[in-house]
């Protein structure tokens, strides 16, 4: 879990307007992705006040504030301005009460604004904070976008992950991260992967060195992040190993609390791994849409066996 996000970074990344307290942007941090709509607090109820959250004012809060006297607004807002309150955010392009600017400035708390409607701003803030504050892990592998699916290519060092990814990029797919992938859990069923800042858009190709994929192939060859939908594990071919030939074996790999589908592809001279991974991605998408070629084969086989049995009985 990240220790917190500076309000300055929040402002820059989400293009928020600074209504007051610009000098406090580098001093205040937000440490939780939960937001607070201080409607109860506006009535004077402070038995439970989530002071560490961003305090979001929408139409309801500002309309209620207008019905209060200036003294009442000052008293309530002063109680909201706690030492660990990160910032106040005003949605819908609304003008904040003068008392909010005054009391927040006195307490060293920035007041931010956005033209987005409250519901949309709530979604944007929550998604951003959750992605930034979520626990992260570093995984060894290469993450590529293949036909819109995030495919994490794993395997032992030297098995050919980067070279395979490079071939996929040449075939029109996109790189997210090479060698090391930072992953985090966005929700109960979604794992997101992205490149560490130091490795962004870069790949290491043995014999050549470091290459900049965006510089060589263009902006369309890279992507900032993607949901990891499928793990493809490359494994050196072993004669004594029994590999799945029908696709009936369903394997997964746990990342945080999410089981991610996984297939193992044996690496052998002459196999075009890029094409195989493309087919693996297309097959995964087909299964997600309800078509399973393995089940079709099993049904055809069962029908053939039944037909042969019926013929034998009629002889």
């Amino acid at each position: 879990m990240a220790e917190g996000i500076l309000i300055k970074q929040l402002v820059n990344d989400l293009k928020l307007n600074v209504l007051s307290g610009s000098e406090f942007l580098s001093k205040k941090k937000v440490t939780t992705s939960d937001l607070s709509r201080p409607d109860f607090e506006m009535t004077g109820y402070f038995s439970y006040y989530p002071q560490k959250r961003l305090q979001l004012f929408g139409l309801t809060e500002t309309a209620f504030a207008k019905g209060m006297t200036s003294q009442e607004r000052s008293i309530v807002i002063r109680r909201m301005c706690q030492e660990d309150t990160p910032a106040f955010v005003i949605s819908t392009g609304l003008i904040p009460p003068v008392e909010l600017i005054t009391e927040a400035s006195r307490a060293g708390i920035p007041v931010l604004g956005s033209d987005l409607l409250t519901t949309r701003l709530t979604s944007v803030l929550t998604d951003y904070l959750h992605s930034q504050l979520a626990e992260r892990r570093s995984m060894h592998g290469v993450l590529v976008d293949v036909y819109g699916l995030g495919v994490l290519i794993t395997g032992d060092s030297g098995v050919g992950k980067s070279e395979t990814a490079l071939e996929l990029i040449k075939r029109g797919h996109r790189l997210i991260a090479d060698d090391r992938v930072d992953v985090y859990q966005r929700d109960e069923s979604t794992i997101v992967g992205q490149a560490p800042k130091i490795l962004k858009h870069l790949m290491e190709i043995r014999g050549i060195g470091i290459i900049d994929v965006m510089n060589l192939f263009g902006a369309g060859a890279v992507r900032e992040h993607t949901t990891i939908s499928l793990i493809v594990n490359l494994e050196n071919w072993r004669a004594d190993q029994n590999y799945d030939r029908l696709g009936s074996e369903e394997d997964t790999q746990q990342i945080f609390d999410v089981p991610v589908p996984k297939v193992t592809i044996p690496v052998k001279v002459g196999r075009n791994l890029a094409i195989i991974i493309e087919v693996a991605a297309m097959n995964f998408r087909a299964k997600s849409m309800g078509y399973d070629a393995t089940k079709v084969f099993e049904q055809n086989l069962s029908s053939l066996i039944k037909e042969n049995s019926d013929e034998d009985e009629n002889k």
Side-chain angles (χ1 to χ4, degrees):
M1 180 75 70
E3 294 182 357
I5 304 169
L6 285 174
I7 297 301
K8 182 178 181 179
Q9 180 183 343
L10 177 76
V11 168
N12 291 338
D13 290 348
L14 298 185
K15 310 300 184 213
L16 299 177
N17 304 316
V18 180
L19 304 181
S20 72
S22 58
E23 64 272 29
F24 310 128
L25 297 179
S26 298
K27 299 177 182 178
K28 285 291 186 177
K29 283 184 176 182
V30 58
T31 58
T32 175
S33 60
D34 294 324
L35 304 178
S36 174
R37 294 285 301 277
D39 39 14
F40 284 113
E41 287 78 7
M42 295 299 293
T43 68
Y45 180 83
F46 280 87
S47 295
Y48 173 70
Y49 173 48
Q51 58 201 43
K52 294 184 179 181
R53 302 180 185 179
L54 287 175
Q55 304 299 315
L56 177 59
F57 279 66
L59 286 168
T60 302
E61 292 78 15
T62 52
F64 187 89
K66 287 181 180 179
M68 304 167 67
T69 66
S70 177
Q71 183 179 10
E72 289 172 337
R73 286 194 293 267
S74 294
I75 292 173
V76 169
I77 292 173
R78 190 177 301 132
R79 293 187 68 181
M80 291 184 193
C81 294
Q82 299 295 318
E83 183 179 356
D84 47 3
T85 301
F88 294 96
V89 186
I90 316 298
S91 71
T92 324
L94 298 169
I95 299 175
V98 174
E99 294 79 7
L100 177 59
I101 299 294
T102 302
E103 296 299 335
S105 297
R106 182 178 293 136
I109 302 172
V111 179
L112 313 176
S114 172
D115 292 331
L116 295 176
L117 297 177
T118 307
T119 303
R120 177 58 181 155
L121 182 58
T122 299
S123 177
V124 169
L125 286 170
T126 302
D127 289 346
Y128 173 81
L129 291 173
H130 188 76
S131 66
Q132 293 294 319
L133 295 171
E135 178 186 352
R136 279 169 160 72
R137 292 179 186 171
S138 182
M139 296 185 66
H140 181 61
V142 183
L143 182 58
V144 288
D145 178 305
V146 181
Y147 297 128
L149 291 175
V151 179
L152 178 62
I153 305 173
T154 63
D156 293 337
S157 180
V159 77
K161 299 184 295 294
S162 295
E163 290 80 0
T164 300
L166 184 60
E167 176 65 23
L168 286 168
I169 293 167
K170 287 185 63 180
R171 295 175 66 87
H173 306 292
R174 294 184 286 179
L175 172 74
I176 290 89
D178 177 57
D179 188 55
R180 203 175 89 220
V181 183
D182 286 348
V183 300
Y184 65 89
Q185 183 173 344
R186 187 170 64 193
D187 53 41
E188 290 76 11
S189 60
T190 308
I191 297 294
V192 176
Q194 60 186 162
K197 288 184 179 179
I198 194 173
L199 299 176
K200 195 174 180 181
H201 305 159
L202 302 179
M203 292 185 73
E204 177 193 356
I205 304 298
R206 283 179 172 83
I208 295 177
I210 304 297
I211 64 171
D212 187 322
V213 171
M214 188 167 75
N215 180 266
L216 294 180
F217 296 95
V222 297
R223 187 175 175 183
E224 297 299 310
H225 56 79
T226 189
T227 299
I228 300 178
S229 302
L230 178 67
I231 297 174
V232 174
N233 184 55
L234 302 183
E235 180 182 287
N236 286 314
W237 187 290
R238 289 167 44 196
D240 59 343
Q241 181 72 27
N242 291 322
Y243 296 104
D244 186 12
R245 299 184 64 181
L246 298 180
S248 56
E249 299 177 12
E250 295 185 355
D251 192 12
T252 61
Q253 180 174 328
Q254 196 83 5
I255 303 179
F256 293 108
D257 300 325
V258 180
V260 181
K262 176 182 178 180
V263 296
T264 296
I265 296 177
V267 177
K268 189 177 183 181
V269 175
R271 302 199 86 195
N272 191 320
L273 296 178
I275 291 178
I276 293 174
I277 290 177
E278 284 182 333
V279 172
M282 290 188 290
N283 192 52
F284 174 81
R285 184 183 291 278
K287 285 185 177 181
S288 301
M289 297 174 68
Y291 180 82
D292 191 333
T294 301
K295 291 182 179 179
V296 172
F297 171 77
E298 291 174 348
Q299 291 170 358
N300 292 343
L301 181 61
S302 297
S303 297
L304 180 60
I305 292 174
K306 186 177 184 305
E307 288 177 7
N308 292 336
S309 297
D310 293 340
E311 290 179 2
D312 290 341
E313 289 178 0
N314 294 329
K315 287 181 179 179

